Amino acid sequence: MTGPVPELADRATACAEHLLETDRVVLASHIDADGLTSAAIAAQALERAAIPFETVFEKQLDADAIEAIAETEYDTVLFTDFGSGQLDVIGEYEDAGAFTPVIADHHQPANRDTEYHLNPLLFGIDGASELSGAGASYVLARALAEESDGSDGATVAADGGAAVATGATEPRADNRDLAALAVVGAVGDMQASGGELHGANERIVAEGVDAGVVETSTDLALYGKQTRPLPKLLEYATDVYIPGISNDENGALRFLDDLDLELKRDGEWRRWSGLTSDEKQTIASALVKRAVSRGVPATKIEQLVGTAYVLPEEPVGTELRDASEFSTLLNATARYERADVGLGVCLGDRDGALERARTLLRNHRRNLSTGIDLVTREGVTHEENVQWFHAGDEIRETIVGIVAGMAMGNEGISRSKPIIAFAAKNDDEVKISTRGTHNLVRQGLDLSVVAGEASRAVGGDGGGHNVAAGATVPKGNEDAFVERADEIVGEQLS
Ligand code: C5P
Ligand code: C5P
Ligand code: C5P
Ligand code: ZN
């Protein structure tokens, strides 16, 4: 059995075998949608394999965080959605016999490898667009099921072998049901481009479809198809800006009123997810027609349609049914120090987690919208090859990257240069988030190198992906960072 990503099969088997020989494990993961789904996948796979574990979340896996983990009494640490970039530090603990690391990650690895290290970048698979942390964790989960089953054959024994399930979800001997969370993680890490997931991600989608936990369809590519009333769906969708509808409450209402459809029920606007295909078709055609008549370029209009990833086992009209809305809900918990709530949601709404997550979501949305307005109003400073802004303490450092990415393309904020965002982290340090586009990456942009090199040049550290990366530097080094970053980006794009 080679698993969903054959290139990773040997490493996955080695990681799984080691975990199955372990008494107990610390599971350490990252605080965002991909990190949470990674943890949820790993947690369920460990539960089903009857391996006891404890979970911890870190905003950033720095030297202090690794030291704290090393001081626990566990012999094995399973890192998900981070660990590769910190292998230099982790390796020192490994050498000293403090713990054995098992890593399922997709970030740019530090200059060192280890035996139980699962990372697509080691095998020529792009960690920014073809496999997420949750995807790497899923590959591990599939191998765990395979190995704990005691058979190396292609079939999975119905009695489940050594696997004992204690999870809230219906256990499946092969862990394919966990593909749904892997898709949410990939979408949350913005790995979809041109409207759909690619590469190894696509193979995970296919396994999810087979297992009945994922459905794909070509659909309107707007955010909020499950939960937003129709006028809000259209008004708030600004990625493809349609004059007279986007950011225009009355315009969106008039547009819908003019269609010959019954779009209200009991006086309430219906949602996209509850429409019939004919109704969807009518609205989509009218929207495209309007965009054309208002001069929206064809390349933009194409972006109105894409592949929707739906989780059919989740209730219609909830955030959980749409991979994109699910991932936003998770960011709304983890990026506000409530990773426990997000994990509870992923594990099947444990302890009323969903209601609490929704409260956090309202706050997150408010913060995103205020942040985007602020950046757009105050504008960015353009250097030759990069553009930047400093949010001080006006935007939380954990979401300044999301805001920067969403603001790109707004008035005065270019999509043909990467954006650098600064936000206060504490009295002494500044958090940096950088965002590019897949288009710039094709031209040679690698922000993980930019964030890493430019931050180390000023006494900080950082890393990430080609299209999105981050760093922390001592306060006062912002200008020097921009200057160095501008040079590196210039070299990459020349
Ligand atoms: O640490 P991790 O890999 O999980 O985080 C990746 C981050 O990069 C996500 O927060 C996502 O918002 C961001 N990203 C982006 N644009 C892309 C790809 C990723 O903003 N095209
Ligand atoms: O839909 P898209 O992939 O552009 O969304 C990226 C992220 O931006 C979402 O996961 C969510 O965090 C946020 N978002 C949002 N409201 C929107 C569009 C995006 O909260 N209208
Ligand atoms: O924090 P932000 O969303 O901007 O992070 C973008 C990407 O950069 C994430 O994948 C994150 O894990 C990575 N990053 C990093 N080292 C840092 C900060 C962020 O590798 N110091
Ligand atoms: Zn990730």
Side-chain angles (χ1 to χ4, degrees), residues 190 223 228 236 239 324 327-328 331 364-365 368 402 406:
M190 311 207 35
Y223 179 88
R228 285 186 174 156
Y236 293 157
D239 281 352
S324 175
S327 73
T328 304
N331 276 325
H364 178 50
R365 279 199 193 302
L368 288 181
I402 300 179
M406 290 177 74

Side-chain angles (χ1 to χ4, degrees), residues 421-469:
F422 297 98
K425 189 175 178 109
N426 51 44
D427 287 346
D428 315 312
E429 290 173 317
V430 179
K431 164 69 192 294
I432 300 171
S433 282
T434 65
R435 294 291 189 271
T437 65
H438 290 286
N439 216 348
L440 286 165
V441 167
R442 278 192 289 275
Q443 295 167 42
L445 181 72
D446 187 346
L447 290 172
S448 73
V449 172
V450 176
E453 284 188 12
S455 65
R456 286 189 289 273
V458 300
D461 201 7
H465 306 294
N466 50 23
V467 74

Side-chain angles (χ1 to χ4, degrees), residues 148-164:
S148 62
D149 186 50
S151 74
D152 56 353
T155 53
V156 176
D159 64 11
V164 177

Side-chain angles (χ1 to χ4, degrees), residues 55-264:
T55 312
V56 298
F57 286 96
E58 298 289 346
K59 191 188 290 186
Q60 214 182 301
L61 192 60
D62 54 19
D64 290 345
I66 298 170
E67 187 183 342
I69 290 169
E71 279 166 5
T72 62
E73 310 206 321
Y74 295 75
D75 292 335
T76 292
V77 183
L78 171 56
F79 295 97
T80 59
D81 195 34
F82 56 23
S84 297
Q86 299 76 24
L87 255 171
D88 43 351
V89 181
I90 291 172
E92 288 172 20
Y93 287 94
E94 186 179 13
D95 291 345
F99 60 78
T100 303
V102 178
I103 302 173
D105 189 11
H106 66 135
H107 292 94
Q108 194 57 52
N111 212 355
R112 175 171 175 147
D113 201 2
T114 186
E115 188 174 2
Y116 309 122
H117 181 204
L118 201 58
N119 187 317
L121 292 157
L122 300 173
F123 301 93
I125 298 172
D126 186 354
S129 64
E130 297 180 314
L131 196 70
S132 67
S137 302
Y138 175 75
V139 172
L140 175 61
R142 295 274 286 113
L144 264 172
E146 200 62 44
E147 297 306 312
S148 62
D149 186 50
S151 74
D152 56 353
T155 53
V156 176
D159 64 11
V164 177
T166 54
T169 53
E170 179 83 358
R172 301 197 199 161
D174 60 5
N175 280 341
R176 276 181 197 241
D177 58 314
L178 302 178
L181 288 171
V183 171
V184 173
V187 169
D189 253 12
M190 311 207 35
Q191 299 216 331
S193 64
E196 60 187 2
L197 293 171
H198 303 275
N201 278 325
E202 229 180 331
R203 277 178 267 151
I204 295 176
V205 169
E207 290 204 348
V209 170
D210 274 350
V213 296
V214 177
E215 274 173 15
T216 64
S217 63
T218 302
D219 203 346
L220 198 63
L222 302 187
Y223 179 88
K225 292 196 286 290
Q226 290 293 329
T227 61
R228 285 186 174 156
L230 286 166
K232 296 292 169 203
L233 178 76
L234 301 182
E235 177 193 341
Y236 293 157
T238 53
D239 281 352
V240 180
Y241 198 90
I242 306 177
I245 295 180
S246 307
N247 276 342
D248 184 340
E249 187 178 358
N250 289 323
L253 286 170
R254 267 198 311 276
F255 168 80
L256 291 166
D257 279 333
D258 287 348
L259 301 173
D260 190 18
L261 296 172
E262 295 289 333
L263 298 177
K264 283 192 187 171

